[in-house]
Amino acid sequence: MFRHKSKTLIASGFVLVLALTVALAGVGLTRMTAIHNHLTLVTERHNVKADIIFSMRHIARERALSTYAMFIMVDPFDREEELRRFTDMAAEFMDLRDRLLAIGLEENERLALDKVLEQVRLYQPLHLALVDRITSENLSGIREEILRHDLLRQRTMLGLLDEMVELERAEIEKATAQAAREYNSAYLVMLILTAVIMVSGFFIASYVIHRTRLVEQALAREKEHAEITLHSVGDAVIAADEQGNVNYLNPAAEQMTGWRNAEARGQPLRNIYHIINETTRKPLEHPAMLGVLDTPIAGLDKHTLLISRSGRELAVEDNAAPIRNGDGENVGAILVFRDVTDQRQMQKQLSWQASHDPLTGLANRREFEVLLERLIASAQEQDKHHALLYLDLDQFKVINDTCGHVAGDELLRQIAGLMRPLIRDSDTLTRLGGDEFGILLEGCYIPQAEQIAHKVLELLEDFRFVWQDKSFRVGVSIGLVGIHAGSGSASSALSVADGACYMAKDKGRNRVWVHQDDDREAAHRQGEMEWVSRIMRAFDENRFVLYYQHVVPLAADAEDYRCREVLVRMRAENGELIPPMAFIPAAERYGMMSTVDRWVVKTAFAWLAGHPSGERLAINLSSQSLGDEDFLNFVMEQFRTTRLSPRRICFEITETAAIANWNRATHFIAALRAHGCRFALDDFGSGMSSFGYLKGLAIDFIKIDGAFVRDMIDDEVDFAMVEAVNRIGHVMGIRTTAEYVENDQILEKLRELGVDYAQGYGLHMPQPLEVITELPAGKTASAREKPFDLDFPVIGRPAV
């Protein structure tokens, strides 16, 4: 505070003196310049006026002389030439008058000029008359006129002009006197300012001397205080000169370096502050050691170790700043450092935990993805080749479920220990999560990577996991993917490897599947996986819709049960309609069909609840729904919620789905038929079952597989199959429905065979459920009444 106040006061004093000096110079220069400019302007102006008046006097005199010359000339031509000169001088006189008026005249000057011009007006007619007499050679009395009158008038005019000249001289003298007065005034002001500056300078100098003494005393106290502070701070401090030699160590620095202040003084800083790189163990040179520190710097290396005099190693962080004198010259450096051994150890531990799996000690998925991105970048930029192995244990779930998670964790640890010796130091073994592992093989082509994959496979085939009194075999499915310039992103490479691992599982497990860029099976599965995400988004965005198709009665006794089969469709993101066989296979493969069936049941029930009681809908159920323990309860809950009559619903299940879930299917059918629902066995004839299964299923309808119906006109075997299914169904009291009826010929054949119902594009094109149109009672649609389009995409399961 004291130093700041002194600095402000001294600076203010010098600023005041400087301001006064500048004011002195400014006032002097300004005033002198103004006086000079004014005097010059006035003098030049009056000199110009005087010159003009002198010229006018000269012309007046010359005109008189010209008159005398014409009088004494004998030659008429000379007289004529002189007359022209006489006339021109009159014009010149008037021009000088105009110039004088243009410059501007004071009042007294204008009065004097008016007298001259008045005299000219009086004198000019007489003078011109005299000239006329001379030029006409009427010379009688001319001499007397000139001597008595003309000379007198000329003298009067010249006298007036002389008065004007004297007037201009008086004005010049007046301006000179004014300039002298202004000069004396400016001189006095400059003397006063000079005196003020001298007095101010004296007081400022006295104040500076006084303050300098106080500052020196304060600096001495602050130096003592700084030394006490440096002795008490926890950070180590070393001061060095411009050559990098130590001149001070505080106690913390003495303790960390092992050097006493007296011993270290004068020693090179590198001898006292001996630092190395923690990783390479190479000595480090700090700029402060060389005396070249120009700007403050932070620690040079995040892995710096200090080697003390006794050989003890400490992890340190340092900061350095130059010491400058009053002239801004570098005269040394201050080095501040602290012991961060514990913090660095903690950082290493946290860094390891962030990049490693705590169970197996392997790199985790996050670290794996970072390394994978680096390998892809090197492949794209340097055209290198690498490989990625995606491993999935085949029996892990069995061990985990039968022996518990503790056994599962131990299995993962043992497997990680088994695989570590098989990979090189440059490779990375990772636990990706659960029972999945990944191996990044750097600089490895597909053939070598395949050899390593088979070694891992053989190793795990021979391995037996023993837990308590149980022994387990563990297999592994491995997907192998090459990483090259065209591999794309890390996520896509990992997805391809996952797909290759799935293909290994799909082909029988415990094997290696090498992904090829033209791998159609893997590409197909990848497409199905993409459909899964699209299906989920469609559910979230409510983009599923229901269509329907008429089931048309053919026999007269079939009119009592007319219905419409519900068909599910999905709308794409751009609004286009997606047929079921584009997304149903993916939904079936990835266990999503039960979700689709639940949506269809709920939506169809809600639609029926709001429409007349005469409407009936047939709803398809997948094999997954029949195998779902809670699906029956879900259907019953929908009946209770909508208060819908079960007689308005017919469930369709495929032959293969019923056989695959026989017990659940029979229970499901029995439970709902007891409430009034009807059931149809869909696609009958497409599976490998026998007609004997029909005896065990309480169904109401058999739907003859459309693959037989479509070609029954041209194929005798297909015709026989349709005929046999229809006859067996009728024998068992089950009504029949023919699918894929696409033309009138097929329709007539079905009538001849006595098939009860028919449906297909030749009878009715699927329509949105919201735009149902009724058929006239007792009338079936024909190809002529409901035109069919053979170019319409034929769907494998139109009843889906």
Side-chain angles (χ1 to χ4, degrees), residues 98-122:
D98 293 339
R99 286 176 58 193
L100 188 63
L101 290 173
I103 293 174
L105 302 176
E106 301 293 338
E107 183 65 25
N108 54 353
E109 293 173 332
R110 181 173 292 279
L111 292 174
L113 179 61
D114 290 342
K115 291 180 180 180
V116 171
L117 296 178
E118 181 65 26
Q119 190 65 32
V120 168
R121 283 192 292 272
L122 294 174

Side-chain angles (χ1 to χ4, degrees), residues 314-325:
L314 298 173
V316 294
E317 288 182 353
D318 57 36
N319 292 275
I323 302 175
R324 304 187 189 279
N325 60 14

Side-chain angles (χ1 to χ4, degrees), residues 549 551 554 565 652-655 680-687 691 694 699-712 717-730 734-741 746 749-751 753-760 795-799:
Q549 187 178 46
V551 179
L554 300 183
E565 182 178 356
E652 297 187 6
I653 59 176
T654 64
E655 174 189 1
L681 192 61
D682 199 7
D683 294 341
F684 188 81
S686 62
F691 289 104
L694 290 176
I699 59 174
D700 302 281
F701 305 96
I702 294 176
K703 301 194 75 171
I704 306 170
D705 190 357
F708 302 122
V709 176
R710 182 189 303 158
D711 298 325
M712 63 181 291
V717 175
D718 289 345
F719 183 86
M721 285 294 295
V722 173
E723 185 180 25
V725 172
N726 182 61
R727 186 167 59 249
I728 294 299
H730 286 172
I734 302 173
R735 293 184 178 184
T736 57
T737 303
E739 300 177 305
Y740 286 13
V741 179
I746 296 175
K749 284 293 182 183
L750 293 173
R751 281 200 174 107
L753 292 175
V755 175
D756 300 294
Y757 300 92
Q759 68 180 108
I795 302 169
R797 279 187 65 195

Side-chain angles (χ1 to χ4, degrees), residues 275 284-288 297-304 317-319:
I275 53 177
L284 298 175
E285 288 281 349
H286 199 286
I297 61 171
L300 295 180
D301 199 311
K302 294 298 183 183
H303 305 283
T304 302
E317 288 182 353
D318 57 36
N319 292 275

Side-chain angles (χ1 to χ4, degrees), residues 242-244 269-270 285-293:
E242 64 271 22
Q243 283 78 37
L269 180 58
R270 65 172 54 87
E285 288 281 349
H286 199 286
M289 299 177 182
L290 308 175
V292 295
L293 190 64

Side-chain angles (χ1 to χ4, degrees), residues 246-538:
V246 174
N247 53 33
Y248 175 77
L249 271 75
N250 75 339
E254 290 179 334
Q255 181 179 1
M256 292 177 64
T257 62
W259 289 82
R260 305 294 296 173
N261 184 32
E263 297 173 326
R265 189 169 296 162
Q267 293 264 11
L269 180 58
R270 65 172 54 87
N271 294 348
I272 309 304
Y273 189 61
H274 180 206
I275 53 177
I276 64 172
N277 183 277
E278 183 179 11
T279 305
T280 64
R281 309 295 295 182
K282 291 182 179 180
L284 298 175
E285 288 281 349
H286 199 286
M289 299 177 182
L290 308 175
V292 295
L293 190 64
D294 294 326
T295 58
I297 61 171
L300 295 180
D301 199 311
K302 294 298 183 183
H303 305 283
T304 302
L305 290 180
L306 170 65
I307 310 299
S308 71
R309 193 176 187 181
S310 62
R312 184 167 63 108
E313 295 184 358
L314 298 173
V316 294
E317 288 182 353
D318 57 36
N319 292 275
I323 302 175
R324 304 187 189 279
N325 60 14
D327 298 328
E329 298 174 347
N330 191 348
V331 295
I334 288 289
L335 181 65
V336 181
F337 53 97
R338 65 182 63 86
D339 183 3
V340 293
T341 304
D342 294 339
Q343 296 94 311
R344 192 165 295 172
Q345 188 64 34
M346 182 70 70
Q347 289 174 359
K348 289 179 181 178
Q349 183 177 354
L350 293 175
S351 177
W352 188 92
Q353 291 176 351
S355 60
H356 286 76
D357 172 44
L359 178 63
T360 61
L362 302 178
N364 60 16
R365 189 184 189 95
R366 177 176 173 274
E367 181 69 9
F368 178 84
E369 291 175 350
V370 171
L371 295 174
L372 179 57
E373 288 178 354
R374 181 174 62 81
L375 291 186
I376 291 176
S378 70
Q380 293 173 347
E381 296 169 3
Q382 306 172 25
D383 197 26
K384 291 186 176 182
H385 288 263
H386 316 288
L388 164 60
L389 301 182
Y390 196 103
L391 296 79
D392 192 339
L393 301 182
D394 290 333
Q395 299 299 324
F396 178 76
K397 189 175 186 304
V398 175
I399 298 172
N400 216 30
D401 291 345
T402 57
C403 300
H405 293 288
V406 176
D409 292 346
E410 179 59 27
L411 171 62
L412 294 175
R413 279 191 289 266
Q414 291 186 21
I415 293 223
L418 283 172
M419 290 192 292
R420 272 197 188 97
L422 294 181
I423 64 172
R424 306 166 298 175
D425 293 339
S426 59
D427 300 333
T428 303
L429 174 61
T430 306
R431 183 188 174 204
L432 297 175
D435 61 343
E436 298 173 342
F437 293 84
I439 301 177
L440 287 175
L441 303 174
E442 189 170 354
C444 186
Y445 287 85
I446 292 294
Q448 294 85 353
E450 192 171 2
Q451 292 178 7
I452 295 174
H454 281 289
K455 288 181 180 179
V456 173
L457 190 67
E458 293 169 3
L459 178 68
L460 294 184
E461 280 182 343
D462 297 336
F463 171 68
R464 298 293 180 272
F465 177 65
V466 179
W467 184 259
Q468 296 175 353
D469 58 343
K470 298 182 181 66
S471 178
F472 299 92
R473 294 186 63 181
V474 180
V476 64
S477 299
I478 302 176
L480 170 56
V481 176
I483 299 174
H484 47 78
S487 292
S489 64
S491 59
S492 64
L494 197 57
S495 177
V496 171
D498 181 28
C501 180
Y502 181 89
M503 292 303 300
K505 284 182 173 293
D506 205 36
K507 295 298 181 181
R509 300 178 180 269
N510 205 34
R511 65 188 63 235
V512 177
W513 181 273
V514 181
H515 172 79
Q516 304 295 335
D517 291 338
D518 57 351
D519 192 336
R520 294 185 178 179
E521 290 188 65
H524 177 70
R525 179 181 178 270
Q526 184 69 21
E528 288 185 340
M529 292 176 66
E530 293 176 359
W531 270 111
V532 171
S533 62
R534 291 188 66 183
I535 292 170
M536 296 304 296
R537 287 199 304 273

